[in-house]
Amino acid sequence: MAPPASPSKRLPAGIWALGFVSLLMDISSEMIHSLLPVFMVTALGVSMLTVGLIEGAAEGTAMVLKVFSGALSDWWGKRKPLAIVGYGLGALSKPLFALASTAGWVITARLLDRVGKGIRAAPRDALVADLAPPDQRGAAFGLRQSLDTVGAFLGPLLAMGLMLLWANDFRAVFWVAVIPAALCIVVLVCGVKEPERPSGQPRTNPIRRENLRRLSQKYWWVVTLGAVFTLARFSEAFLVLRLQQGGLPLALTPLALVLMSLVFSLGAYPLGKLSDRMNHTTLLAWGLVALIAADALLAWRGNGIAAWLGIALWGLHMAMTQGLLATMVAASAPADLRGTAFGMFNLASGVALLVASALAGLLWDQWGASATFLAGGAFSALALVGVLWHARTEATPPKPPLAQG
């Protein structure tokens, strides 16, 4: 059971600033990403398998880099400069999407964008943990995730409005996305003050064997759990394509991410605060139930109330689990290894995302959209069984040794 949070405390200003940094970058990124799958399929003529491989490779690249950036931030004792470099690369990638004329351009831009994410994400998450009081970490991660996700639904809304205004001009929308990306760098540089590293603390290699041994069994369970969750939840690009296949007009396809992100945003902060007061395993289990229901509805229908309800439940699952998993990483790792801990966690999740996205695209190409979402539901059910089994194991006291004689 997590310790109760103090309702009288306010979260530090730096947490809010990091939240608005995430909001602005997500507005920029989602203006592009909400249209990118349809742009690749309709304008560039790529296959669904290629979409899955691009998405998986891009996200996988980001996750691998998080290990090294997180470890570097632990060794250096500074996290903000790495965050600036990472967000800067993300901003630089945006014009390349507008210039793209082949799949190769898209791959280059997507990889550059995700390299930036890989550099910034683990130091940023460790910085949130450094800035937040221990009894408010769930709320802090929930707030940052909530503001991040506000950007994730404002971006597609802007993209949709501009597509309607400019007669489906993908490239013009991609150029507008450059503006919020640049603003996010300004907020990060001016609005976040990093806490000082304790004086006299020696620098050591965070990924040396003796340091990695300090990461507890509880931490490695959270890493395994995060990977399984990611394997059960492939790229959101397939949500957009499911509704487009179901007959949603081209300019309105960003509505899929708008709805998912709206539910995610509204739920992330209150559910983050709730995670400071309740059993983490219970909340994770209910998050998987929501994902199973979402997969079932999307496997059944690509349009109508069932499809939209499935997308809303997908967003509810994200709100229940994403901030919570970050909180669990922060709670189970030593303070001086938090960057490394977040990096290793994201590496495992990145490998799982690469596998999940490639498999989703392959299943879609071979057997259709329903097969993709049914497979996601099956992985989610297996993950739920594992979570419940682990909870039961932890709750069962060890048997006393048999008396001798």
Side-chain angles (χ1 to χ4, degrees):
M1 185 78 69
S6 173
S8 62
K9 292 182 182 177
R10 292 184 178 180
L11 290 170
I15 300 292
W16 285 91
L18 286 169
F20 281 108
V21 167
S22 294
L23 183 152
L24 287 165
M25 183 54 79
D26 248 40
I27 288 176
S28 174
S29 295
E30 295 306 326
M31 285 182 70
I32 294 173
H33 298 161
S34 62
L35 298 173
L36 195 59
V38 180
F39 174 69
M40 287 191 288
V41 171
T42 61
L44 302 181
V46 305
S47 69
M48 293 300 300
L49 176 58
T50 303
V51 171
L53 288 172
I54 290 174
E55 289 296 310
E59 294 296 340
T61 299
M63 300 299 185
V64 170
L65 284 172
K66 288 175 186 178
V67 176
F68 300 103
S69 64
L72 179 58
S73 76
D74 286 336
W75 176 83
W76 191 8
K78 292 185 180 295
R79 315 206 192 269
K80 181 178 172 180
L82 291 169
I84 292 172
V85 171
Y87 279 106
L89 286 175
L92 287 173
S93 74
K94 300 302 186 270
L96 297 181
F97 290 103
L99 296 169
S101 57
T102 65
W105 277 79
V106 173
I107 292 170
T108 300
R110 195 80 171 94
L111 288 176
L112 181 60
D113 178 55
R114 296 298 89 177
V115 165
K117 183 173 182 179
I119 291 172
R120 71 184 181 247
R124 181 206 59 211
D125 289 343
L127 186 54
V128 171
D130 292 345
L131 288 168
D135 62 349
Q136 289 186 294
R137 284 199 186 118
F141 280 108
L143 176 66
R144 193 209 65 80
Q145 192 71 69
S146 181
L147 289 172
D148 178 279
T149 314
V150 168
F153 72 78
L154 287 180
L157 276 178
L158 283 169
M160 183 178 65
L162 292 174
M163 286 284 281
L164 291 170
L165 181 64
W166 292 336
N168 295 339
D169 189 339
F170 287 100
R171 298 180 196 280
V173 177
F174 293 168
W175 278 117
V176 173
V178 174
I179 299 170
L183 288 175
C184 114
I185 306 300
V186 176
V187 175
L188 177 58
V189 171
C190 300
V192 178
K193 183 178 180 181
E194 183 170 3
E196 292 293 328
R197 182 189 180 105
S199 59
Q201 184 174 334
R203 289 182 177 179
T204 62
N205 180 358
I207 55 177
R208 289 173 63 181
R209 185 177 301 175
E210 55 266 33
N211 279 328
L212 293 179
R213 284 175 180 165
R214 294 168 55 206
L215 296 172
S216 65
Q217 184 177 354
K218 182 178 180 182
Y219 165 76
W220 291 112
W221 160 247
V222 177
V223 170
T224 303
L225 197 60
V228 173
F229 268 57
T230 306
L231 192 62
R233 188 192 63 250
F234 38 79
S235 169
E236 286 89 14
F238 293 97
L239 302 181
V240 176
L241 292 165
R242 180 61 165 146
L243 264 68
Q244 191 258 339
Q245 183 196 62
L248 192 66
L250 194 65
L252 299 182
T253 52
L255 281 175
L257 294 185
V258 169
L259 177 59
M260 186 209 75
S261 300
L262 179 62
V263 175
F264 189 178
S265 175
L266 292 175
Y269 181 51
L271 287 167
K273 292 183 70 174
L274 180 63
S275 74
D276 288 327
R277 297 174 170 83
M278 72 174 289
N279 184 279
H280 290 166
T281 303
T282 302
L283 194 55
L284 288 173
W286 279 111
L288 283 167
V289 170
L291 184 58
I292 292 168
D295 280 319
L297 288 167
L298 289 164
W300 178 37
R301 295 291 297 274
N303 54 31
I305 294 175
W308 291 106
L309 180 57
I311 288 172
L313 286 170
W314 193 288
L316 180 61
H317 155 80
M318 299 284 282
M320 286 179 164
T321 61
Q322 297 309 287
L324 176 55
L325 287 168
T327 302
M328 292 169 71
V329 171
S332 60
D336 62 321
L337 290 178
R338 278 187 190 134
T340 305
F342 277 107
M344 300 289 271
F345 172 82
N346 288 312
L347 171 62
S349 298
V351 173
L353 185 60
L354 175 59
V355 173
S357 295
L359 180 61
L362 180 62
L363 288 171
W364 192 306
D365 276 342
Q366 296 296 319
W367 293 287
S370 293
T372 294
F373 289 100
L374 286 173
F379 280 121
S380 301
L382 288 173
L384 178 59
V385 170
V387 167
L388 295 176
W389 174 84
H390 181 76
R392 183 175 178 181
T393 302
E394 281 195 328
T396 304
K399 294 181 180 180
L402 294 174
Q404 299 293 322

